[in-house]
């Protein structure tokens, strides 16, 4: 028995022998819990000790209690669960911070409610202030796209550009169109589309993908102070959800904001700051001057887009949409440029991360990744495909074969699953959000949220991956249930898999001595909870690098 215990307790400072070293007391210990370590072969323990920001020991209560000294803070878990800090591998983090303070249309389920919320929000804002964010979803009221007439009367003094929750289309009001000089005869840029009223040939206010830039370019840039506030709000929100690291798919302005916070000691979360792939040469120059950051904030990733989204009918498929036979999607970036950026960015040693949703977009991208790897020679490059949502039969095995990381968001499956079949038919949904097939084929799955497209809520994501119950309740046994994963697999994709997708798995993501003490206390042991109840489990405490950065009140 004692030999067994000894093997569980791996001490940082005493690799040999079973006697703990009381002369090195822990800063913080967790006792009496259900600890899921994430370590293959040794996933379960009772207790964890933390010292100087690192995991000091993981083992039984008795073993860890021996590390208690005068100044040690003791957290009694009483059966609650400890897991490695959650890693959200895909967020639009600063946008999320702004969204926390903007109009919320996510669950508006009628045109009246949509209009009422915007009107009410405008009443409290100084005249001239832009109303953005929103995250509306027209599928909630049957699929009619909103029109500017719905909101004009309530927003005479406020320009509005509110987005669909996938960020691939937006509604502008008349004032916003007027400020931007957009009319029915405005030329729409490549990769975009402007919806016109069939009678008047005037814009309805709906702008898709690149056409959103016609209006968004006249929105004043946020000030540094506004960006800092948005970041701080996003960090607080993330920590309250147990997220200790995220990969921000964003801009250079975001990177500047993160660096300010890092320099001020305000960055309580780890961030991998990814910049647009079209700017890879700027990244090359920036890295030559500034390096690639540290374990709290790092960069070196490049983000591109092949196509749009399913919800906006702009994901790029081999075959036309079932409900819009005139289209099979839209390329949001001209493929010749994107191909060149991928090959050159990879050739310069950077980490290439590209959005692909439709089956043709995924096939195209897998081809280009293959070409880039051949051109630039072997290395640990970890190409990522963001969303990897609809895959052709041949694509699934290519992820493993080419070592491409599918970076996926389980919440999207239970959200899009409400109406995806209407859009692409019964055949193509079989390889939609194919988590199970990808894992079985050996693909290195990473999970995330895509906040603000979906809520930044890992427990909701785990629930989605385990149950595949669509949000409308129409699929109690799961939508395409063959693609469900296990709890252990979902946790791994939100910890080790996500860490690996940002080159951080050696330092975090498993509760092992010597790794950073990034961990989360959950109100219940997920392995004892019916998967259907997982969303009701609470995050009680979040720890980053040994510091308790969130504690649930009450
Ligand atoms: Zn995204």
């Amino acid at each position: 028995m004692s030999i067994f215990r000894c093997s569980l307790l791996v001490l940082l400072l005493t690799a040999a022998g079973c006697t703990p070293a009381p002369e090195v007391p822990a800063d913080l210990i967790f006792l009496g819990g259900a600890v899921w370590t994430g370590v293959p072969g040794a996933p379960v323990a009772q207790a964890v000790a933390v010292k100087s920001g690192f995991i000091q020991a993981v083992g039984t209560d008795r073993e860890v209690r021996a590390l208690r000294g005068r100044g040690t803070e003791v957290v009694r878990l009483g059966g609650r669960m400890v897991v490695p800090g959650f890693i959200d591998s895909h967020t639009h983090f600063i946008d999320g911070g702004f969204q926390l303070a903007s109009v919320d249309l996510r669950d508006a389920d009628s045109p009246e409610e949509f209009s009422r919320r915007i009107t009410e929000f405008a009443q409290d804002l100084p005249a001239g202030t832009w109303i953005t964010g929103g995250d509306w979803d027209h599928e909630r009221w049957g699929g009619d796209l909103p029109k500017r007439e719905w909101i004009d009367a309530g927003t005479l003094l406020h320009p509005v550009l509110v987005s669909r929750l996938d960020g691939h289309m937006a509604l502008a009001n008349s004032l916003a169109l007027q400020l931007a000089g957009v009319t029915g005869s405005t030329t729409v840029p490549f990769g975009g589309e402007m919806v016109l009223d069939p009678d008047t040939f005037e814009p309805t206010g709906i702008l898709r993908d690149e056409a959103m830039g016609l209006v968004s370019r006249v929105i004043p840039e946020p000030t540094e102070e506004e960006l800092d506030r948005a970041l701080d709000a996003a960090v607080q929100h993330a920590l309250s959800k147990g997220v200790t690291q995220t990969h921000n798919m964003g801009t250079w302005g975001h990177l500047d904001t993160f660096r300010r916070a890092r320099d001020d000691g305000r960055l309580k979360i780890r961030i991998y700051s990814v910049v647009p792939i079209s700017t890879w040469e700027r990244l090359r120059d920036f890295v030559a001057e500034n390096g690639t950051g540290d374990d709290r904030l790092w960069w070196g990733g490049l983000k591109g887009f092949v196509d749009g989204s399913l919800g906006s009918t702009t994901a790029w498929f081999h075959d036309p949409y079932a409900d819009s036979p005139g289209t099979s999607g839209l390329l949001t970036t001209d493929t010749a440029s994107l191909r060149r950026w991928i090959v050159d960015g990879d050739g310069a040693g950077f980490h290439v991360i590209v959005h692909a949703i439709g089956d043709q977009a995924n096939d195209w991208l897998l081809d280009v990744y293959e070409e880039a790897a051949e051109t630039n020679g072997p290395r640990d490059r970890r190409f990522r495909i963001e969303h990897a949502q609809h895959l052709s039969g041949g694509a699934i095995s290519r992820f493993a074969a080419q070592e491409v990381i599918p970076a996926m968001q389980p919440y999207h499956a239970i959200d899009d699953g409400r109406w995806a079949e209407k859009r692409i038919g019964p055949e193509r949904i079989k390889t939609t959000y194919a988590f199970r097939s990808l894992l079985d084929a050996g693909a290195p799955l990473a999970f995330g949220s895509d906040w603000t497209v979906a809520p930044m809520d890992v427990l909701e994501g785990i629930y989605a991956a385990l149950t595949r119950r669509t949000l409308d309740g129409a699929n109690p046994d799961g939508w395409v249930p063959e693609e469900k994963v296990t709890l252990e697999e979902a946790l791994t994709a939100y910890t080790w898999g996500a860490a690996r997708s940002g080159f951080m798995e050696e330092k975090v993501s498993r509760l092992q001595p010597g790794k950073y003490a990034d961990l989360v206390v959950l109100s219940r042991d997920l392995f004892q909870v019916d998967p259907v109840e997982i969303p009701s489990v609470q995050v009680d405490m979040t720890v980053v690098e040994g510091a308790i950065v969130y504690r649930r009140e009450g």
Side-chain angles (χ1 to χ4, degrees):
M1 187 65 198
S2 68
I3 291 168
F4 172 65
R5 278 194 184 156
C6 182
S7 67
L8 271 182
L9 175 68
V10 189
L11 276 174
L12 180 59
L13 298 171
T14 55
C18 296
T19 319
E23 66 271 18
V24 190
D27 298 331
L28 177 62
I29 60 179
F30 297 86
L31 297 173
V35 179
W36 183 78
T37 65
V39 179
V44 181
Q46 275 182 317
V48 180
V50 173
K51 177 75 186 168
S52 305
F54 292 92
I55 304 282
Q56 185 182 17
V58 179
T60 64
D61 280 348
R62 201 167 130 207
E63 289 158 342
V64 168
R65 206 181 281 120
L67 296 170
R68 182 177 177 175
R70 254 167 217 254
T72 304
E73 178 171 358
V74 179
V75 177
R76 293 186 194 284
L77 295 165
R80 288 179 295 165
M81 190 178 201
V82 175
V83 293
F86 293 139
I87 298 172
D88 190 329
S89 65
H90 186 128
T91 59
H92 305 277
F93 202 63
I94 304 250
D95 302 344
F98 281 113
Q99 185 205 53
L100 291 170
S102 76
V103 62
D104 183 6
L105 302 170
R106 181 173 290 278
D107 56 354
D109 51 14
S110 67
E112 295 72 33
E113 181 63 11
F114 179 90
S115 147
R116 189 190 67 76
R117 288 197 194 179
I118 293 177
T119 302
E120 215 172 86
F121 188 79
Q123 279 164 5
D124 299 330
L125 279 187
T129 311
W130 279 78
I131 298 173
T132 58
D135 295 320
W136 48 268
D137 181 4
H138 59 301
E139 299 294 345
R140 284 192 176 262
W141 57 78
D144 283 345
L145 288 173
K147 299 184 173 71
R148 60 194 160 104
E149 287 81 11
W150 293 8
I151 56 172
D152 273 348
T155 56
L156 293 172
L157 304 174
H158 299 90
V160 177
L161 185 67
V162 285
S163 313
R164 186 175 189 276
L165 47 75
D166 61 9
H168 289 277
M169 60 177 152
L171 176 72
N173 70 349
S174 294
L175 179 57
L177 292 172
Q178 189 191 326
L179 289 172
V182 173
T183 66
S185 48
T186 300
T187 307
V188 176
F190 178 85
E193 197 181 313
M194 175 161 65
V195 178
L196 298 181
D197 184 298
D199 299 324
T200 63
F201 301 105
E202 284 303 313
T204 65
I206 289 289
L207 305 163
R208 293 183 202 265
D209 285 297
E210 294 304 312
M212 295 187 291
L214 291 171
V215 173
S216 64
R217 66 185 171 82
V218 299
I219 301 177
E221 289 292 319
T223 63
E224 280 191 4
E225 201 196 341
E226 286 166 341
L227 286 162
D228 291 349
R229 264 208 309 271
L231 172 59
D232 292 347
V235 169
Q236 274 318 307
H237 182 65
L239 297 175
S240 77
K241 298 292 182 187
V243 173
T244 57
Q245 177 185 146
T246 189
H247 303 169
N248 180 63
M249 304 298 148
T251 65
W252 284 92
H254 295 165
L255 176 54
D256 288 341
T257 306
F258 300 143
R259 292 178 85 210
R260 279 198 301 280
R262 177 75 180 113
D263 293 346
D264 296 350
R266 276 178 19 250
L267 197 61
K268 293 184 186 160
I269 189 175
R270 299 186 198 281
I271 295 188
Y272 179 22
S273 181
V274 177
V275 295
I277 196 165
S278 58
T279 65
W280 77 268
E281 287 154 308
R282 180 172 169 188
L283 182 62
R284 180 193 58 201
D285 299 344
F286 183 82
V287 166
E289 196 167 319
N290 301 286
T292 55
D294 56 27
D295 296 342
R296 186 57 66 119
L297 170 64
W298 66 105
W299 49 87
L302 294 165
K303 168 78 189 300
F305 286 86
V306 183
D307 61 347
S309 78
L310 188 70
S312 297
T313 327
T314 51
W316 185 32
F317 284 92
H318 289 288
D319 297 321
Y321 284 87
D323 60 348
S324 305
T327 179
S328 52
L330 194 71
L331 292 162
T332 54
T333 316
D334 125 64
T335 43
S337 306
L338 182 58
R339 190 189 139 276
R340 202 179 59 240
W341 294 330
I342 290 170
V343 175
D344 291 350
D346 174 64
F350 294 119
H351 185 203
V352 175
I353 299 172
V354 178
H355 162 124
I357 300 232
D359 54 13
Q360 186 157 13
N362 277 277
D363 286 342
W364 181 88
L365 186 53
L366 285 163
D367 286 346
V368 175
Y369 279 173
E370 194 167 25
E371 180 198 336
E374 270 166 24
T375 306
N376 298 321
R379 73 178 174 98
D380 184 11
R381 50 172 45 87
R382 305 192 193 183
F383 279 140
R384 286 172 51 161
I385 296 187
E386 304 307 291
H387 316 304
Q389 194 168 317
H390 307 281
L391 301 177
S392 65
I396 287 171
S397 59
R398 292 183 71 187
F399 280 85
Q402 294 179 221
E403 294 179 20
V404 171
I405 296 171
M408 302 177 78
Q409 302 79 29
Y411 188 91
H412 287 340
I414 62 169
D415 191 355
D416 292 12
R418 290 174 294 143
W419 42 260
E421 184 165 351
K422 168 180 89 179
R423 195 138 294 165
I424 55 173
E427 248 340 279
R428 283 182 286 189
I429 64 161
K430 289 181 189 159
T431 47
T432 290
Y433 297 108
F435 308 134
R436 172 86 274 137
S437 302
L438 283 161
L439 280 174
D440 289 348
L445 191 60
F447 276 166
S449 69
D450 203 8
W451 189 47
T452 59
V453 180
M456 179 170 44
D457 191 324
V458 173
L459 292 167
E460 285 270 5
I462 291 173
Y463 159 83
L466 266 56
T467 69
R468 293 180 72 101
R469 285 182 160 203
T470 50
L471 297 178
D472 56 8
N475 297 275
D477 298 321
W479 179 70
V480 198
E482 309 78 58
E483 295 295 342
K484 289 178 187 175
V485 301
T486 67
L487 176 57
E488 184 125 21
E489 288 165 338
L491 284 169
T492 301
Y494 272 116
T495 53
W496 186 82
R500 195 178 165 280
S501 76
F503 293 92
M504 274 291 269
E505 79 282 4
E506 297 294 330
K507 296 188 169 161
V508 294
S509 83
R510 283 176 176 161
L511 301 181
Q512 268 176 318
K515 300 249 198 294
Y516 282 121
D518 292 7
L519 55 86
V520 180
V521 178
L522 301 175
S523 63
R524 294 174 69 190
D525 177 358
L526 296 180
F527 286 97
Q528 306 300 325
V529 174
D530 185 329
V532 174
E533 288 174 30
I534 287 177
S536 68
V537 174
Q538 308 265 6
V539 172
D540 281 355
M541 187 184 279
T542 304
V543 175
V544 176
E545 214 162 320
I548 299 173
V549 285
Y550 170 76
R551 247 185 240 262
R552 184 163 66 93
E553 313 258 319

